[in-house]
Amino acid sequence: NAGVMQNPRHLVRRRGQEARLRCSPMKGHSHVYWYRQLPEEGLKFMVYLQKENIIDESGMPKERFSAEFPKEGPSILRIQQVVRGDSAAYFCASSLGQGAIEPQHFGDGTRLSIL
Amino acid sequence: GQQLNQSPQSMFIQEGEDVSMNCTSSSIFNTWLWYKQDPGEGPVLLIALYKAGELTSNGRLTAQFGITRKDSFLNISASIPSDVGIYFCAVLNNDMRFGAGTRLTVKP
């Protein structure tokens, strides 16, 4: 199965720790997107990356959150000094191209719980 | 900013009934998408619409891209228990924006 792979599926952190969420896009996809979903809500866009470049981070909080998509390896969403409000499901999606004609395909998410 | 209004918020139907949900926007978009999300999983693409007025089917699912490019609807015919889940509309521009979802419950 060459779908979008996210790990870990579940992550528990204490307040103040760091959380690292990983995403491997579908084979051949070079565009990666991160979304956040709170219970009973839709997905909220956070950041869009291509290899080694952040294209749009308009949905990402200015502090504590960062994302990268290195030349080799998965995309990483990093949350420093986590707080209770960071508890959510974080989804990664990938697409073949960019713009208004390429649907995104999603992974099964990482559920982050902050104690 | 861009906002998608999806309705209804939730639906409780009997197995075998047809379902209809819709999404409207205050802005024009050239691509509309419908996704389904099962509990504990990521959204799965059901139908993609690229042309105003386009009507597209995928099995028991039918979706239409409104002629004004500001709305879309999704119909599910003869619902079955595995149709249960959350259905999201989404629009594509340079990034993707989602509606809040329609939660579908199907009673056997």
Side-chain angles (χ1 to χ4, degrees), chain A residues 9 37 40 56 99-100 104 108, chain B residues 31 35 37 40 42 93 95 103:
Chain A
R9 289 294 307 273
Q37 186 179 35
E40 307 300 313
D56 180 356
Q104 297 171 19
D108 282 336
Chain B
T31 301
Y35 285 84
Q37 186 177 26
N93 200 359
D95 50 40
R103 285 147 186 80

Side-chain angles (χ1 to χ4, degrees), chain A residues 2-32:
Chain A
V4 178
M5 302 300 294
Q6 287 188 250
N7 68 84
R9 289 294 307 273
H10 301 274
L11 182 61
V12 179
R13 285 286 178 266
R14 296 190 180 279
R15 281 178 293 172
Q17 291 185 321
E18 179 180 288
R20 279 184 178 239
L21 288 61
R22 287 177 290 278
C23 169
S24 295
M26 281 181 73
K27 191 174 181 181
H29 287 191
S30 59
H31 301 256
V32 165

Side-chain angles (χ1 to χ4, degrees), chain B residues 49-68:
Chain B
L49 301 157
Y50 299 108
K51 196 173 170 184
E54 179 183 3
L55 186 72
T56 298
S57 293
N58 178 5
R60 292 179 296 107
L61 276 59
T62 302
Q64 182 154 33
F65 187 166
I67 198 74
T68 64

Side-chain angles (χ1 to χ4, degrees), chain A residues 9 33 35 37 39-43 45 48 56 58 91 98-109 111, chain B residues 30-31 33 35 37 39-45 48 50 86 88 92-101 103:
Chain A
R9 289 294 307 273
Y33 312 79
Y35 295 84
Q37 186 179 35
E40 307 300 313
E41 293 188 11
L43 287 86
F45 168 78
Y48 160 40
D56 180 356
S58 58
F91 288 94
Q98 179 264 334
I101 59 170
E102 290 291 345
Q104 297 171 19
H105 300 267
F106 285 82
D108 282 336
R111 276 137 194 88
Chain B
N30 292 320
T31 301
L33 307 163
Y35 285 84
Q37 186 177 26
E41 298 184 13
V44 173
L45 181 66
Y50 299 108
I86 306 175
F88 291 101
L92 257 183
N93 200 359
N94 288 317
D95 50 40
M96 192 152 68
R97 296 285 184 258
F98 284 82
R103 285 147 186 80

Side-chain angles (χ1 to χ4, degrees), chain B residues 1-100:
Chain B
Q2 303 155 356
Q3 189 171 350
L4 291 183
N5 296 308
Q6 186 171 351
S7 65
Q9 199 171 31
S10 58
M11 301 183 76
F12 296 84
I13 61 167
Q14 206 71 38
E15 183 178 358
E17 290 182 358
D18 296 344
V19 172
S20 186
M21 59 192 80
N22 70 82
C23 218
T24 61
S25 168
S26 55
S27 302
I28 288 173
F29 291 99
N30 292 320
T31 301
W32 285 79
L33 307 163
W34 285 93
Y35 285 84
K36 183 192 178 199
Q37 186 177 26
D38 290 328
E41 298 184 13
V44 173
L45 181 66
L46 298 174
I47 292 179
L49 301 157
Y50 299 108
K51 196 173 170 184
E54 179 183 3
L55 186 72
T56 298
S57 293
N58 178 5
R60 292 179 296 107
L61 276 59
T62 302
Q64 182 154 33
F65 187 166
I67 198 74
T68 64
R69 291 186 286 160
K70 290 185 176 182
D71 62 335
S72 176
F73 71 73
L74 175 71
N75 286 344
I76 306 173
S77 63
S79 59
I80 59 178
S82 62
D83 290 334
V84 164
I86 306 175
Y87 292 79
F88 291 101
C89 64
V91 290
L92 257 183
N93 200 359
N94 288 317
D95 50 40
M96 192 152 68
R97 296 285 184 258
F98 284 82

Side-chain angles (χ1 to χ4, degrees), chain A:
Chain A
N1 186 343
V4 178
M5 302 300 294
Q6 287 188 250
N7 68 84
R9 289 294 307 273
H10 301 274
L11 182 61
V12 179
R13 285 286 178 266
R14 296 190 180 279
R15 281 178 293 172
Q17 291 185 321
E18 179 180 288
R20 279 184 178 239
L21 288 61
R22 287 177 290 278
C23 169
S24 295
M26 281 181 73
K27 191 174 181 181
H29 287 191
S30 59
H31 301 256
V32 165
Y33 312 79
W34 285 93
Y35 295 84
R36 175 181 151 120
Q37 186 179 35
L38 293 172
E40 307 300 313
E41 293 188 11
L43 287 86
K44 297 287 194 299
F45 168 78
M46 297 179 72
V47 61
Y48 160 40
L49 310 102
Q50 290 184 46
K51 283 287 186 182
E52 301 185 274
N53 290 306
I54 296 175
I55 307 301
D56 180 356
E57 55 183 348
S58 58
M60 194 118 91
K62 295 284 185 284
E63 297 178 352
R64 302 188 299 108
F65 284 71
S66 62
E68 62 177 18
F69 188 15
K71 190 176 179 183
E72 301 290 338
S75 175
I76 306 284
L77 178 68
R78 184 181 175 206
I79 311 172
Q80 295 177 287
Q81 299 173 328
V82 295
V83 301
R84 286 251 170 88
D86 296 333
S87 295
Y90 291 85
F91 288 94
C92 169
S94 72
S95 67
L96 190 59
Q98 179 264 334
I101 59 170
E102 290 291 345
Q104 297 171 19
H105 300 267
F106 285 82
D108 282 336
T110 293
R111 276 137 194 88
L112 176 63
S113 298
I114 309 302
L115 302 178

